[in-house]
Amino acid sequence: MFEGNVPFKRKRVLVKREKIKEVETAMKGLVKAMEQGGEKGQDHQYIKQNPEIVKIIQFHAEKGNGWSQFWLGFFYIHGWGKKLDMDEGIRWLKKSAAKGLIEAYSWVGLAYDGIRDRKNAAKYYLIGAKKGCPKCMAEIARYYFSGTGVKKNDAKGNEWFLKAAQNGNYEAQRELGNDYYFGRGCEKDMKKAVYWLELAADNGDMYAADLLGMIYRYGEGEEIPQDLFACARYYELAWKKGNETALNSFIEVNRVIYAGREAEG
């Protein structure tokens, strides 16, 4: 989601912390706001209500603290407590990445993507991916599939989705499941598709859950037999995670299940 040219990702930001008590204390409330109410703007509002946080972060960033450099860059690219400045945000994020905070590479890439500099976005996603950042792995995989900033290469896209999925990135788990389902960048394999989709769904991905509902509703030949109970379970999960259309499918499948029970009984 973008606000102007500013990329917003509302998932919790994980970085290797160089612990400074003042910084830890200052950031505690913001991180909580981001976890509990990011979609409603509570995180940005928290910064407005506590402007001293930005001053504390900037002080320690200028002293060379990598975690503070990360957050200062984050503030600049979002316009939180600072005038929106993508270049300045990228500069501070690069500093934090150089300190060993590999997650910063994903935000450098995201910032470049936000200003439509896809070649540099691809460059930093790839650097971060090679250094072990799962988010970067997933993003460079998308770039390879779409030919954005790099030469289109479905096989490489699949390879990076696999690495990201193995490192716990649920979006990559979903995409890898889609790859095996449609035979994109790899041979079609329904068992592998279901394996990765179930991992993604169990990690809360509503799109993976919805696709699993469809797969189990009709079955996929001998590889994946029809299972209406599994179907209902995944449609319910997709609905509870925010996929409103899955509710109708959930109701329809349950009607079939109960009709079958009545016929038996």
Side-chain angles (χ1 to χ4, degrees), residues 5-139:
N5 284 331
V6 187
F8 277 72
K9 293 287 183 181
R10 296 299 191 178
K11 299 178 180 62
R12 184 179 180 183
V13 179
L14 299 175
V15 296
K16 180 182 176 183
R17 303 185 179 187
E18 301 169 53
K19 292 187 177 180
I20 294 177
K21 188 173 182 180
E22 185 180 30
V23 175
E24 292 277 319
T25 301
M27 294 304 299
K28 186 176 181 179
L30 175 60
V31 171
K32 185 177 180 180
M34 292 177 73
E35 291 175 340
Q36 296 182 348
E39 292 295 343
K40 297 179 181 178
Q42 288 177 237
D43 37 19
H44 191 188
Q45 190 64 31
Y46 187 87
I47 289 292
K48 288 182 178 180
Q49 294 171 353
N50 299 273
E52 70 280 0
I53 290 176
V54 180
K55 293 179 181 179
I56 292 170
I57 291 298
Q58 178 146 9
F59 174 81
H60 289 288
E62 290 172 350
K63 292 288 185 180
N65 176 254
W67 191 48
S68 299
Q69 290 169 345
F70 173 86
W71 281 110
L72 185 58
F74 186 88
F75 292 160
Y76 271 115
I77 68 172
H78 288 78
W80 291 5
K82 289 287 185 182
K83 184 179 179 181
L84 176 64
D85 190 330
M86 298 297 279
D87 291 335
E88 189 67 3
I90 288 169
R91 185 175 76 85
W92 282 107
L93 288 167
K94 285 180 178 178
K95 284 179 177 288
S96 70
K99 290 280 187 178
L101 282 70
I102 60 171
E103 292 85 352
Y105 285 108
S106 70
W107 288 90
V108 174
L110 192 64
Y112 274 126
D113 186 85
I115 59 176
R116 306 293 190 268
D117 186 347
R118 302 293 163 57
K119 286 188 176 180
N120 267 319
K123 174 184 175 181
Y124 283 94
Y125 282 144
L126 189 56
I127 292 172
K130 290 180 177 179
K131 288 182 178 292
C133 173
K135 179 64 175 175
C136 288
M137 294 173 188
E139 293 302 327

